[in-house]
Amino acid sequence: MSTTAGDRREEGVEFTHEDGLVTALDLETGVAASGESKAEALSMLAEALELHEGGGEPIEDEAAFLREVGIDPEEVDADETPPPWLE
């Protein structure tokens, strides 16, 4: 089987620098993560890719999780439409 340039998915990671942060973008999936250095951005990207691919632990207690990350569960509208990237 042969491939042409138009058939190939881009592979690798692209870095951008903005406002003191480095963003690492996985070209194949479009998943991105940021950090204060390339190493931190890559580490965060590895975690984001694992979650993107279905890894991680399920959230048992959503309200407790929201409080843990600094969000008041009472202020979250459960009927709100999720952002397009989560649909």
Side-chain angles (χ1 to χ4, degrees):
M1 176 174 131
S2 66
T3 59
T4 64
D7 294 336
R8 286 185 286 151
R9 283 183 156 174
E10 287 190 62
E11 293 183 2
V13 176
E14 179 179 277
F15 293 95
T16 56
H17 303 264
E18 187 174 326
D19 297 329
L21 288 178
V22 178
T23 298
L25 169 67
D26 178 67
L27 297 174
E28 184 176 346
T29 63
V31 174
S34 297
E36 293 181 4
S37 66
K38 280 187 176 182
E40 185 178 353
L42 281 172
S43 176
M44 299 299 287
L45 179 59
E47 184 177 337
L49 285 168
E50 179 182 351
L51 295 172
H52 177 74
E53 294 171 359
E57 298 292 324
I59 297 172
E60 300 291 330
D61 183 349
E62 186 175 313
F65 172 76
L66 290 172
R67 281 192 290 278
E68 183 179 320
V69 297
I71 299 172
D72 181 357
E74 299 297 319
E75 294 181 7
V76 176
D77 183 2
D79 296 329
E80 188 175 307
T81 304
W85 61 86
L86 293 178
E87 292 181 338

